């Protein structure tokens, strides 16, 4: 580990401001507006909104993950914590049992904090909170407790990208690495495949600009690890359903040329995707290579190109 690196949350913890952020996020649960659904249910009294998350935090699994991007997984793995439930609910979700059905177990804040510390103890390079939006208050409280006990590795906020900038601003200085999906450029597609989330394209664009403002471009250190910055994932979908060309155009126009972009080829028609004929197949080699070629032509310089796995 780079001894000179100090996670942002550690600095806030030492000043007492990390708990203040957690308190502010927790108050939002009384009329929940953590995600763009703006359900306004009182989760503190046990009500559940669209995502079906309640007052307590629920975790599906936690372990070193070696399937993440190489600058995150490194040699010892990314310390992933997969949270139950999701506010976006894509019909093709790979982890549908977690996101749609909410499989997992309820933890206390102390239990979540201990989980973070154990992942550090076994050598993980970072704490990677997967689908964290609806549990942001719980995560920050747990982070504060873990930082008191010596947690000092980067925090990865691994998100579908549908994030309210107002909430992201409360995470400024807390999150070291934003790992964000840019799923769609077309609002009709996002509404169709993500439970009516018509405003996804507008929200993700505002969210990415806020994330970039906070952490900047993700550049590996001398050990090949990323410890701070914005990392964007774009999953190429069949028949250009995600609007890949427009996604790349927007990134080029609105973010630095060295923005880290992972062009992903592993789309698979999971869960309910077979109900939609246009996305009920894998992508072709030519579909993937078209997006990669365009990104290179546009001058993006920090690309992760997986190759084609069809």
């Amino acid at each position: 580990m780079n001894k000179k690196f100090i996670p942002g949350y550690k600095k806030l913890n030492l000043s007492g401001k990390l708990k203040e952020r957690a308190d502010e996020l927790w108050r939002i649960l009384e009329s929940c507006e953590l995600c763009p659904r703006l359900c306004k249910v009182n989760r503190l009294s046990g009500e559940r909104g669209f995502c079906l998350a309640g007052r307590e935090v629920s975790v599906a699994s936690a372990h070193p993950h070696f399937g993440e991007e190489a600058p995150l997984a490194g040699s010892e793995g990314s310390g992933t914590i997969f949270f139950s439930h999701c506010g976006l609910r894509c019909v093709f979700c790979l982890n549908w049992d977690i996101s749609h059905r909410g499989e997992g177990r309820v933890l206390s804040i102390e239990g979540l904090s201990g989980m973070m510390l154990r992942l550090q103890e076994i050598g993980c390079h970072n704490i990677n909170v997967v689908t964290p939006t609806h549990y942001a208050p719980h995560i920050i409280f747990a982070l504060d407790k873990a930082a008191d006990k010596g947690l000092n590795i980067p925090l990865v906020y691994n998100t579908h990208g549908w994030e309210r900038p107002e909430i992201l601003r409360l995470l400024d200085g807390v999150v070291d690495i934003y790992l964000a999906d840019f799923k769609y450029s077309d609002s009709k597609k996002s509404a169709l495949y993500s439970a009516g989330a018509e405003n996804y394209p507008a929200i993700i664009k505002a969210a990415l600009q806020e994330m970039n403002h906070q952490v900047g471009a993700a550049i590996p250190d001398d050990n090949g690890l990323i410890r701070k910055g914005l990392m964007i994932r774009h999953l190429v979908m069949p028949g250009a359903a995600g609007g890949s060309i427009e996604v790349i155009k927007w990134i080029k126009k609105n973010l630095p040329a060295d923005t880290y972009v992972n062009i992903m080829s592993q789309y698979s028609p999971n869960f309910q995707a077979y109900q939609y004929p246009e996305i009920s197949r894998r992508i072709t080699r030519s579909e993937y290579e078209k997006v990669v070629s365009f990104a290179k032509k546009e001058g993006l310089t920090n690309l992760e190109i997986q190759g084609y796995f069809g």
Side-chain angles (χ1 to χ4, degrees):
M1 179 176 175
N2 186 345
K3 293 182 180 179
K4 295 181 180 179
F5 179 82
I6 301 175
Y9 66 80
K10 189 72 173 180
K11 301 171 187 176
L12 290 173
N13 164 260
L14 292 171
S15 69
K17 293 182 179 179
L18 190 58
K19 185 178 182 302
E20 292 177 8
R21 299 284 187 90
D23 285 332
E24 190 168 354
L25 286 163
W26 190 263
R27 286 192 290 271
I28 294 173
L29 294 177
E30 190 170 5
S31 179
C32 192
E33 297 181 347
L34 288 177
C35 89
R37 298 276 178 198
L38 302 176
C39 293
K40 297 183 183 295
V41 299
N42 187 344
R43 287 173 57 187
L44 296 181
S45 68
E47 294 179 0
R48 296 175 185 265
F50 184 86
C51 71
L52 299 180
R55 179 187 177 94
E56 306 298 328
V57 63
S58 180
V59 171
S61 65
H63 53 82
H65 191 9
F66 294 90
E68 300 287 58
E69 286 78 355
L72 295 179
S75 60
E76 304 300 323
S78 177
T80 50
I81 302 175
F82 287 86
F83 291 93
S84 309
H85 308 293
C86 177
L88 194 57
R89 300 244 207 118
C90 303
V91 298
F92 52 87
C93 183
L94 176 64
N95 297 316
W96 58 270
D97 53 336
I98 300 171
S99 60
H100 287 250
R101 292 187 177 177
E103 291 186 6
R105 62 188 178 97
V106 172
L107 286 181
S108 65
I109 298 296
E110 291 74 14
L112 180 57
S113 175
M115 187 174 282
M116 294 175 176
L117 289 167
R118 285 191 294 276
L119 289 169
Q120 176 176 269
E121 288 168 5
I122 62 178
C124 293
H125 300 291
N126 45 65
I127 300 299
N128 185 343
V129 290
V130 184
T131 319
T133 313
H134 47 294
Y135 290 126
H138 309 74
I139 292 168
I140 307 309
F141 270 128
L143 198 65
D144 189 49
K145 290 181 179 296
D148 282 341
K149 297 179 180 179
L151 189 72
N152 62 357
I153 54 178
L155 177 68
V156 182
Y157 197 84
N158 188 338
T159 169
H160 46 52
W162 201 45
E163 301 281 351
R164 297 184 64 213
E166 298 89 340
I167 301 300
L168 291 175
R169 283 191 273 275
L170 293 175
L171 302 177
D172 190 1
V174 178
V175 174
D176 300 297
I177 301 165
Y178 282 105
L179 179 59
D181 293 341
F182 192 159
K183 292 180 181 290
Y184 316 100
S185 61
D186 185 330
S187 61
K188 291 182 180 178
K189 298 296 186 183
S190 62
L192 180 63
Y193 303 134
S194 292
E198 184 176 5
N199 61 358
Y200 182 94
I203 296 251
I204 180 63
K205 291 170 184 177
L208 289 174
Q209 288 178 314
E210 175 62 26
M211 293 174 190
N212 180 69
H213 171 72
Q214 291 182 21
V215 297
I219 306 297
D221 64 15
D222 293 341
N223 296 321
L225 296 174
I226 287 175
R227 303 184 190 279
K228 185 175 182 178
L230 169 62
M231 304 172 70
I232 298 175
R233 289 172 166 172
H234 175 66
L235 180 66
V236 180
M237 294 181 66
S244 298
I245 298 301
E246 293 304 316
V247 166
I248 298 298
K249 284 182 180 179
W250 186 88
I251 292 172
K252 173 61 189 306
K253 182 178 180 181
N254 295 279
L255 296 173
D258 62 350
T259 297
Y260 185 107
V261 182
N262 181 1
I263 302 176
M264 307 176 79
S265 61
Q266 70 263 42
Y267 174 83
S268 180
N270 295 290
F271 193 40
Q272 299 171 333
Y274 284 104
Q275 298 177 20
Y276 303 82
E278 69 278 13
I279 61 168
S280 64
R281 62 170 175 85
R282 300 292 299 271
I283 65 170
T284 65
R285 182 184 297 275
S286 62
E287 285 175 321
Y288 181 71
E289 291 179 346
K290 178 181 179 181
V291 179
V292 171
S293 296
F294 186 78
K296 290 179 176 179
K297 182 180 177 181
E298 286 291 285
L300 297 182
T301 61
N302 196 2
L303 296 174
E304 176 164 329
I305 300 167
Q306 293 184 331
Y308 177 69
F309 300 107

